[in-house]
Amino acid sequence: PSSARPSITAKLINGGVAGLVGVTCVFPIDLAKTRLQNQHGKDIYKGMIDCLMKTARAEGFLGMYRGAAVNLTLVTPEKAIKLAANDFFRQLLMEDGMQRNLKMEMLAGCGAGMCQVVVTCPMEMLKIQLQDAGRLAVHRQGSASAPPSRSYTTRSAPIHKRPSATRIAWELLHTQGLAGLYKGLGATLLRDIPFSIIYFPLFANLNNLGFNERTGKASFVHSFMSGCVAGSVAAVTVTPLDVLKTRIQTLKKGLGEDSYSGITDCARKIWTQEGPSALMKGAGCRALVIAPLFGIAQGVYFIGIGERILKCFE
């Protein structure tokens, strides 16, 4: 019954809590994904484990959390928009919002993916610059005679200064306006819309397989596994689009690394210079990041943290 379903406020709280917990748990793997996707060939990192070990040695434990503050700050509004939009479109397209039509579910997921980029695009834009800074530092050390890489703006920033999200955002806004923070918007949409189209219907159908009429929902383990499987499948499927987005949104380039004029130019250069396998860089990392994120999200929903918090204010 509809009365048994959590309110939109509870869903937003659950989404925010799940996002904060999830990001904290898997952020180092996400950092490895960004660095692997950005490097040309295997000149610095041979894989995820090698990347994490070298990062920990060179930058310390906290170095693996570069850019986490941006994610932790913006993940709650991102999840709130995604969940609220998905609920809104489900209600709009399926009257009572219940699972009835796969095509309508996919359209609802598409709508959610389009709405969330308002936060996702600038959040990932800033996060990527911070995550990739360590790789660029290693790249510069290996190419001592190389000229300085491109700056975030037309003015050269001192190389010794560690980049901060606030400084990067301010320089982009000052020199390029709001469009600077939304660089790669098309690539972000191209990734997030297919992801949501795949994830939301797949999870709903997988979770429905474990529906228990007595409790009115699937078991915790079933919901957790459904979230992990649906998240992994969606993440791996859209990895080529994520590679394009990461390359386009990376503002600083190392010696010999290409800059891209758009999605088509980026795809063409990666395909011809690095081969089609380069479009799947970081696929394993993405699966390891997304599966726990959505598994944790379903766990938070099952426990009903949002509902418990709301009860405290009644």
Side-chain angles (χ1 to χ4, degrees), residues 3 14-15 17 32 34 36 49 69-70 90 100 132 139 144 147 162 164 168 179 210 270-271 273 275 280 286 312:
S3 60
N14 285 333
V17 171
T34 297
L36 289 171
I49 301 299
V70 177
R90 284 179 69 93
R100 289 188 178 181
D132 204 43
H139 198 283
R162 178 172 292 184
S164 71
I168 295 170
I270 292 175
W271 185 279
Q273 296 173 13
M280 290 303 292
R286 273 184 62 75
C312 295

Side-chain angles (χ1 to χ4, degrees), residues 13 22 28 67 95 97 102 108 120 128 166 176 193 223 225 293:
I13 295 173
E95 296 181 4
L102 180 60
T120 304
I128 285 170
T166 305
Q176 302 176 34
I193 290 175
S223 288
M225 291 306 299
L293 277 177

Side-chain angles (χ1 to χ4, degrees), residues 164-234:
S164 71
T166 305
R167 183 164 61 84
I168 295 170
W170 171 252
E171 289 187 3
L172 286 170
L173 286 170
H174 184 68
T175 58
Q176 302 176 34
L178 196 59
L181 285 176
Y182 280 88
K183 181 180 173 66
L185 177 62
T188 306
L189 282 167
L190 199 62
R191 181 200 65 174
D192 287 352
I193 290 175
F195 180 91
S196 294
I197 287 175
I198 296 168
Y199 174 76
F200 282 111
L202 182 57
F203 170 75
N205 285 278
L206 288 175
N207 197 49
N208 194 51
L209 295 175
F211 183 80
N212 187 316
E213 291 185 3
R214 184 174 58 84
T215 61
K217 58 182 178 181
S219 68
F220 171 81
V221 173
H222 189 90
S223 288
F224 181 86
M225 291 306 299
S226 296
C228 288
V229 171
S232 295
V233 170

